Amino acid sequence: MFDLHLTPSDTAPQHGPRPLPLFLDMLRSETATSPERRTAALAGLAAFQQAPRAPRARLAPARYRKGRARLRDYGRRDDGRRPVILVPSLINPPFILDLAPEVSLVKWLATQGVHPFLLDWGSPLPADRDLDITAHVARRLLPLIAKFDQPPILIGYCLGGTMALAAACAARVAGVALIAAPWHFGGFGDAARMAIAELWRTAQPTCEKLGLVPMEVLQAGFWRLDPAKTIAKYEAFGRMTPDSPAAAAFVALEDWANAGAPLPYAAGRQLFEDFVGADLSGRGAWRVAGKLVTPQALSCPAIEFVSLNDRIVPAASAADLPDRHDLGAGHVGMIVGRGARNQLWTPLMDWLSALPIPR
């Protein structure tokens, strides 16, 4: 029986993997033949739970709002620079793009001659149960794009990239960049898609009653993609020097990964059934605001950055745009890893700088 003790209000980060009971079951399974590894992983978990945490900087103030979504302004108001909207995934909080002063893509872009805005999708309530992924694009992202006098550039990360591509087909934008964004969901492979389908089959009745898909369901899906790595990173953390920069970075990143608002029920249903299950976008069957959205329908400059060793969004699921850059960093490492600036940030900014100014 699949029971994550789901509650509609459990959106705050916790000092430990979420859901913890499922993580402990996975830990026991992965270390069944190695008591030493089990001891090391539990020591790492305890160290993580007890690690000191510096207060996280607040996200920038909201400039524009639509429903529960808001665009947070990281530039100087009306400075005349080109507007760039960073579109994060609906899954996990948006602050992965502003994780810490030294690893903040959005703040770095603000120093490079553009005016960045970070989209914060907000926290849904059960009353938002019918807001699916398509509606997030049509009823949240497109109206926010329309608030700009100058067509903005979209930068979408993970599922946010999928949604940014759709928005770029349905609205006038100056360009769209995809980072680790799935489009051909068949590229996840049959085994992973079957495991995700089973996860949804067992979680769906509870989610339907709640009107929400709690983060625990989504996190369980991520863990199933690579349970061994999930346990191994806690073993490794237990060996780190507690006050080292590497330990602080691990804590910040894991706290982000274990945080996140739930999805509206319809968004979760569409993600699991229509996208992962039926490959809606990859089959060229997705419509947003009455328009068919496909990579071929883009009328603006477009680029994508693909991780070749991404365990969350496999390279085979990419949109495969003509301007494609393959990277060696992982799904999160390409955003905040030690090589992120050279592998992603700088090439992205080079592309932004070369875009023509719309007339």
Side-chain angles (χ1 to χ4, degrees), residues 2 6 8 12 45 59 62 65 70 74 87 103 124 127 181 188 237-238 252 255 257 273 282 297 305 326 334 339 355:
F2 188 86
L6 306 180
L45 173 60
L59 296 176
R65 299 172 183 266
R70 54 192 62 83
Y74 281 79
V87 185
V103 282
F188 279 71
F237 180 71
D255 278 349
E273 297 180 15
F305 296 89
D326 291 340
M334 65 196 303
L355 289 179

Short mmCIF file of all heavy atoms in Angstrom, two decimals, residues 2 6 8 12 45 59 62 65 70 74 87 103 124 127 181 188 237-238 252 255 257 273 282 297 305 326 334 339 355:
data_model
loop_
_atom_site.label_atom_id
_atom_site.label_comp_id
_atom_site.label_asym_id
_atom_site.label_seq_id
_atom_site.Cartn_x
_atom_site.Cartn_y
_atom_site.Cartn_z
N PHE A 2 0.59 2.21 -0.84
CA PHE A 2 1.36 3.44 -0.95
C PHE A 2 0.75 4.47 -0.02
O PHE A 2 -0.34 4.95 -0.24
CB PHE A 2 1.31 3.93 -2.40
CG PHE A 2 2.22 5.09 -2.68
CD1 PHE A 2 3.53 4.86 -3.03
CD2 PHE A 2 1.75 6.39 -2.62
CE1 PHE A 2 4.38 5.92 -3.32
CE2 PHE A 2 2.59 7.44 -2.90
CZ PHE A 2 3.90 7.21 -3.25
N LEU A 6 -0.07 11.97 3.30
CA LEU A 6 -0.15 13.21 2.55
C LEU A 6 -1.06 14.20 3.25
O LEU A 6 -2.14 13.86 3.70
CB LEU A 6 -0.68 12.94 1.14
CG LEU A 6 0.10 11.88 0.35
CD1 LEU A 6 -0.52 11.71 -1.02
CD2 LEU A 6 1.56 12.25 0.23
N PRO A 8 -2.37 18.48 2.75
CA PRO A 8 -2.34 19.57 1.79
C PRO A 8 -1.49 20.74 2.22
O PRO A 8 -1.20 21.61 1.41
CB PRO A 8 -3.81 19.97 1.68
CG PRO A 8 -4.44 19.56 2.96
CD PRO A 8 -3.70 18.31 3.37
N ALA A 12 6.57 23.25 3.85
CA ALA A 12 7.80 23.83 4.38
C ALA A 12 8.95 22.84 4.28
O ALA A 12 8.76 21.63 4.35
CB ALA A 12 7.58 24.23 5.84
N LEU A 45 22.80 11.15 7.49
CA LEU A 45 21.45 11.71 7.67
C LEU A 45 21.38 12.50 8.97
O LEU A 45 20.84 13.62 9.00
CB LEU A 45 20.43 10.58 7.68
CG LEU A 45 18.99 10.97 8.02
CD1 LEU A 45 18.45 11.98 7.01
CD2 LEU A 45 18.09 9.73 8.05
N LEU A 59 13.65 36.20 -1.65
CA LEU A 59 13.56 36.45 -3.08
C LEU A 59 13.23 37.91 -3.31
O LEU A 59 12.70 38.61 -2.44
CB LEU A 59 12.49 35.55 -3.70
CG LEU A 59 12.75 34.04 -3.66
CD1 LEU A 59 11.57 33.29 -4.24
CD2 LEU A 59 14.01 33.67 -4.41
N ALA A 62 8.00 41.26 -5.77
CA ALA A 62 7.18 41.00 -6.96
C ALA A 62 6.92 42.30 -7.71
O ALA A 62 6.56 43.31 -7.11
CB ALA A 62 5.87 40.35 -6.56
N ARG A 65 1.89 40.37 -11.01
CA ARG A 65 1.20 39.23 -10.44
C ARG A 65 0.09 38.77 -11.38
O ARG A 65 -0.52 39.58 -12.08
CB ARG A 65 0.58 39.58 -9.09
CG ARG A 65 1.57 40.00 -8.01
CD ARG A 65 0.86 40.52 -6.78
NE ARG A 65 1.80 40.98 -5.77
CZ ARG A 65 2.26 40.24 -4.76
NH1 ARG A 65 1.83 38.99 -4.64
NH2 ARG A 65 3.13 40.72 -3.89
N ARG A 70 3.79 35.21 -9.51
CA ARG A 70 4.33 36.57 -9.50
C ARG A 70 5.69 36.59 -10.18
O ARG A 70 6.43 35.59 -10.13
CB ARG A 70 4.44 37.09 -8.06
CG ARG A 70 5.20 36.19 -7.14
CD ARG A 70 5.06 36.57 -5.68
NE ARG A 70 3.69 36.48 -5.22
CZ ARG A 70 3.10 35.36 -4.82
NH1 ARG A 70 3.76 34.21 -4.88
NH2 ARG A 70 1.85 35.35 -4.41
N TYR A 74 14.61 41.37 -10.39
CA TYR A 74 16.00 41.38 -9.97
C TYR A 74 16.82 42.47 -10.64
O TYR A 74 18.05 42.47 -10.53
CB TYR A 74 16.63 40.01 -10.25
CG TYR A 74 16.26 38.97 -9.21
CD1 TYR A 74 15.02 38.33 -9.25
CD2 TYR A 74 17.13 38.65 -8.18
CE1 TYR A 74 14.67 37.39 -8.30
CE2 TYR A 74 16.79 37.70 -7.23
CZ TYR A 74 15.56 37.08 -7.29
OH TYR A 74 15.22 36.16 -6.33
N VAL A 87 11.92 30.95 -15.99
CA VAL A 87 10.74 30.13 -15.69
C VAL A 87 11.20 28.83 -15.04
O VAL A 87 11.73 27.94 -15.71
CB VAL A 87 9.93 29.82 -16.97
CG1 VAL A 87 8.65 29.07 -16.61
CG2 VAL A 87 9.62 31.10 -17.74
N VAL A 103 26.12 31.47 -6.03
CA VAL A 103 25.53 30.57 -7.03
C VAL A 103 24.09 31.00 -7.31
O VAL A 103 23.15 30.28 -7.04
CB VAL A 103 25.59 29.08 -6.59
CG1 VAL A 103 26.96 28.51 -6.81
CG2 VAL A 103 25.15 28.90 -5.15
N PRO A 124 -0.33 26.62 -4.44
CA PRO A 124 -1.76 26.43 -4.74
C PRO A 124 -2.53 25.97 -3.52
O PRO A 124 -1.98 25.42 -2.56
CB PRO A 124 -1.74 25.35 -5.82
CG PRO A 124 -0.52 24.54 -5.49
CD PRO A 124 0.49 25.54 -4.98
N ALA A 127 -8.58 24.70 -3.81
CA ALA A 127 -9.50 25.35 -4.75
C ALA A 127 -8.91 25.50 -6.14
O ALA A 127 -9.64 25.71 -7.13
CB ALA A 127 -9.90 26.73 -4.21
N ALA A 181 15.36 20.66 -20.10
CA ALA A 181 13.90 20.67 -20.24
C ALA A 181 13.42 19.43 -21.00
O ALA A 181 13.89 19.17 -22.11
CB ALA A 181 13.46 21.93 -20.99
N PHE A 188 12.29 9.07 -21.56
CA PHE A 188 12.56 8.62 -20.19
C PHE A 188 12.77 7.11 -20.14
O PHE A 188 13.31 6.59 -19.16
CB PHE A 188 11.40 9.01 -19.28
CG PHE A 188 11.44 10.44 -18.81
CD1 PHE A 188 11.18 11.48 -19.68
CD2 PHE A 188 11.75 10.74 -17.50
CE1 PHE A 188 11.23 12.80 -19.25
CE2 PHE A 188 11.80 12.05 -17.05
CZ PHE A 188 11.55 13.09 -17.94
N PHE A 237 28.08 12.71 2.59
CA PHE A 237 27.95 13.89 3.45
C PHE A 237 28.48 13.60 4.85
O PHE A 237 29.08 14.47 5.50
CB PHE A 237 26.49 14.35 3.52
CG PHE A 237 26.31 15.56 4.40
CD1 PHE A 237 26.76 16.80 3.99
CD2 PHE A 237 25.69 15.45 5.64
CE1 PHE A 237 26.61 17.92 4.79
CE2 PHE A 237 25.53 16.57 6.45
CZ PHE A 237 25.98 17.80 6.03
N GLY A 238 28.25 12.40 5.34
CA GLY A 238 28.74 12.04 6.66
C GLY A 238 30.25 12.10 6.78
O GLY A 238 30.79 12.22 7.89
N ALA A 252 22.36 23.39 1.65
CA ALA A 252 21.51 24.34 0.94
C ALA A 252 20.76 23.66 -0.20
O ALA A 252 19.55 23.87 -0.40
CB ALA A 252 22.34 25.50 0.41
N ASP A 255 18.14 21.08 1.19
CA ASP A 255 16.97 21.77 1.75
C ASP A 255 16.05 22.26 0.64
O ASP A 255 14.83 22.23 0.77
CB ASP A 255 17.43 22.95 2.62
CG ASP A 255 17.83 22.53 4.02
OD1 ASP A 255 17.57 21.36 4.39
OD2 ASP A 255 18.40 23.36 4.76
N ALA A 257 15.81 20.77 -2.34
CA ALA A 257 15.21 19.57 -2.93
C ALA A 257 14.08 19.01 -2.08
O ALA A 257 13.15 18.37 -2.61
CB ALA A 257 16.28 18.50 -3.15
N GLU A 273 -0.02 11.50 -16.44
CA GLU A 273 -0.78 10.75 -17.44
C GLU A 273 -0.53 11.23 -18.86
O GLU A 273 -0.25 10.43 -19.76
CB GLU A 273 -2.28 10.82 -17.11
CG GLU A 273 -2.64 10.17 -15.78
CD GLU A 273 -4.13 10.24 -15.47
OE1 GLU A 273 -4.93 10.53 -16.39
OE2 GLU A 273 -4.51 10.02 -14.30
N GLY A 282 5.80 15.37 -26.93
CA GLY A 282 6.66 14.67 -27.88
C GLY A 282 5.92 14.19 -29.11
O GLY A 282 6.50 14.11 -30.21
N ALA A 297 7.18 25.00 -34.41
CA ALA A 297 6.29 26.16 -34.49
C ALA A 297 6.94 27.43 -33.94
O ALA A 297 6.36 28.51 -34.05
CB ALA A 297 5.00 25.87 -33.71
N PHE A 305 20.13 23.70 -23.64
CA PHE A 305 21.30 23.14 -22.96
C PHE A 305 20.86 21.82 -22.35
O PHE A 305 19.91 21.76 -21.56
CB PHE A 305 21.80 24.10 -21.89
CG PHE A 305 22.31 25.41 -22.43
CD1 PHE A 305 21.44 26.48 -22.60
CD2 PHE A 305 23.63 25.56 -22.81
CE1 PHE A 305 21.89 27.68 -23.12
CE2 PHE A 305 24.09 26.76 -23.33
CZ PHE A 305 23.22 27.83 -23.49
N ASP A 326 25.36 20.31 -25.51
CA ASP A 326 25.41 19.20 -24.58
C ASP A 326 26.45 19.47 -23.50
O ASP A 326 27.59 19.86 -23.80
CB ASP A 326 25.75 17.90 -25.31
CG ASP A 326 24.63 17.43 -26.22
OD1 ASP A 326 23.48 17.86 -26.02
OD2 ASP A 326 24.91 16.65 -27.15
N MET A 334 24.35 21.71 -13.36
CA MET A 334 24.50 22.65 -14.46
C MET A 334 24.01 24.05 -14.07
O MET A 334 24.38 25.04 -14.71
CB MET A 334 23.78 22.14 -15.71
CG MET A 334 22.28 22.02 -15.58
SD MET A 334 21.53 20.98 -16.89
CE MET A 334 22.06 21.80 -18.39
N GLY A 339 31.16 24.05 -11.98
CA GLY A 339 31.44 24.37 -13.38
C GLY A 339 30.30 25.08 -14.08
O GLY A 339 30.34 25.27 -15.30
N LEU A 355 21.30 38.18 -29.44
CA LEU A 355 19.93 38.22 -29.98
C LEU A 355 19.63 39.58 -30.58
O LEU A 355 19.96 40.63 -30.01
CB LEU A 355 18.92 37.92 -28.87
CG LEU A 355 18.85 36.49 -28.35
CD1 LEU A 355 17.82 36.38 -27.25
CD2 LEU A 355 18.53 35.52 -29.47
#
